Amino acid sequence: VEFRGGESGGSTVEFYSGVPGRAITFYSSGEGYNFEVKSQVEIFDHSWERVKWHEQLDRHSTTINPNDLIDQQIVGLGRLELEPGDYNYFIKIQNGGAVGVFNGQLSVGGYREDSLQASQIIAASVIFPSPADSGTFLRHGLEVQPLPSRTFRPEQKLFAYQEIYNLAPGTSGSCNYRITYSMALLERDRNVFGKIFDGFKKLVGAG
């Protein structure tokens, strides 16, 4: 998911991983259960020259019985700063002896300072205000816990997070605006959020 980056015109791209609880290798300890998830993200340009590389090891501890996590996802996050352009990516996720590999293409847009623009959308399992100063999933005072599968059960609430940029006050000094959300199932053979990402981003002119 793409956001306005810290560098002028660049973007912060967040990569979310979701490892099913049933696939996690746990190690029992005296106080509960431990497990590790290692992730690697490599970014290449159109000539397959590597331009960015990120690796992290997330260590988790829990007192919850692993059998109760079978239907849960262990969510991870990797973050990279990228200039506008087209890239190829390679992602590897490892836990115990299990390895998952993903690759594809990535188009990164630019963000200007003089026009209304918007980030892409995070499909989240929950969003709530957080008093914490820092955290893996903290964005502007909100805890945004992404749902990488973008799959919601019928009884589950749907949360979405997006950032709007350059929404400046009018001549009166006030800032009045209205946001309208609409959703539609465009294709039954494609994840609905995939269509929302593309359509909504084009609608507001980002990228």
Side-chain angles (χ1 to χ4, degrees):
V1 176
E2 180 185 327
F3 296 94
R4 183 169 66 181
E7 302 176 3
S8 178
S11 298
T12 297
V13 181
E14 295 187 346
F15 298 85
Y16 309 122
S17 62
V19 181
R22 63 174 59 87
I24 290 290
T25 299
F26 290 87
Y27 300 95
S28 179
S29 66
E31 299 179 355
Y33 303 89
N34 302 319
F35 63 95
E36 297 179 343
V37 178
K38 182 179 181 180
S39 59
Q40 295 176 326
V41 179
E42 292 183 89
I43 306 295
F44 302 88
D45 62 17
H46 65 281
S47 300
W48 287 97
E49 293 289 334
R50 190 169 72 178
V51 295
K52 290 279 184 170
W53 180 80
H54 174 81
E55 179 180 279
Q56 68 186 48
L57 178 65
D58 296 320
R59 293 186 171 93
H60 301 266
S61 298
T62 180
T63 57
I64 301 175
N65 190 300
N67 292 328
D68 296 329
L69 296 174
I70 289 177
D71 295 325
Q72 304 297 317
Q73 279 195 337
I74 309 303
V75 180
L77 181 151
R79 184 179 290 118
L80 290 173
E81 296 285 331
L82 293 173
E83 295 297 320
D86 295 323
Y87 302 93
N88 299 292
Y89 67 83
F90 178 86
I91 301 174
K92 182 168 72 173
I93 309 295
Q94 182 175 355
N95 165 254
V99 178
V101 176
F102 312 90
N103 62 77
Q105 296 180 329
L106 174 68
S107 182
V108 177
Y111 288 89
R112 299 166 53 183
E113 299 291 336
D114 59 353
S115 62
L116 181 64
Q117 293 185 290
S119 71
Q120 292 180 324
I121 302 173
I122 298 178
S125 59
V126 66
I127 298 176
F128 58 89
S130 173
D133 295 326
S134 63
T136 302
F137 304 114
L138 189 68
R139 296 200 67 88
H140 304 287
L142 294 175
E143 179 78 9
V144 182
Q145 298 182 4
L147 191 64
S149 66
R150 301 174 188 169
T151 301
F152 293 83
R153 298 185 302 274
E155 72 278 6
Q156 186 177 2
K157 290 184 178 180
L158 186 154
F159 292 85
Y161 175 88
Q162 185 177 45
E163 296 180 0
I164 308 296
Y165 308 118
N166 307 321
L167 189 63
T171 55
S172 64
S174 61
C175 190
N176 298 315
Y177 59 92
R178 182 179 64 186
I179 300 176
T180 302
Y181 300 96
S182 60
M183 295 180 61
L185 183 62
L186 301 183
E187 293 181 8
R188 292 189 179 276
D189 61 348
R190 184 180 175 189
N191 184 292
V192 64
F193 257 97
K195 280 294 188 181
I196 294 174
F197 287 158
D198 296 341
F200 198 88
K201 190 163 182 277
K202 291 177 182 177
L203 176 65
V204 298

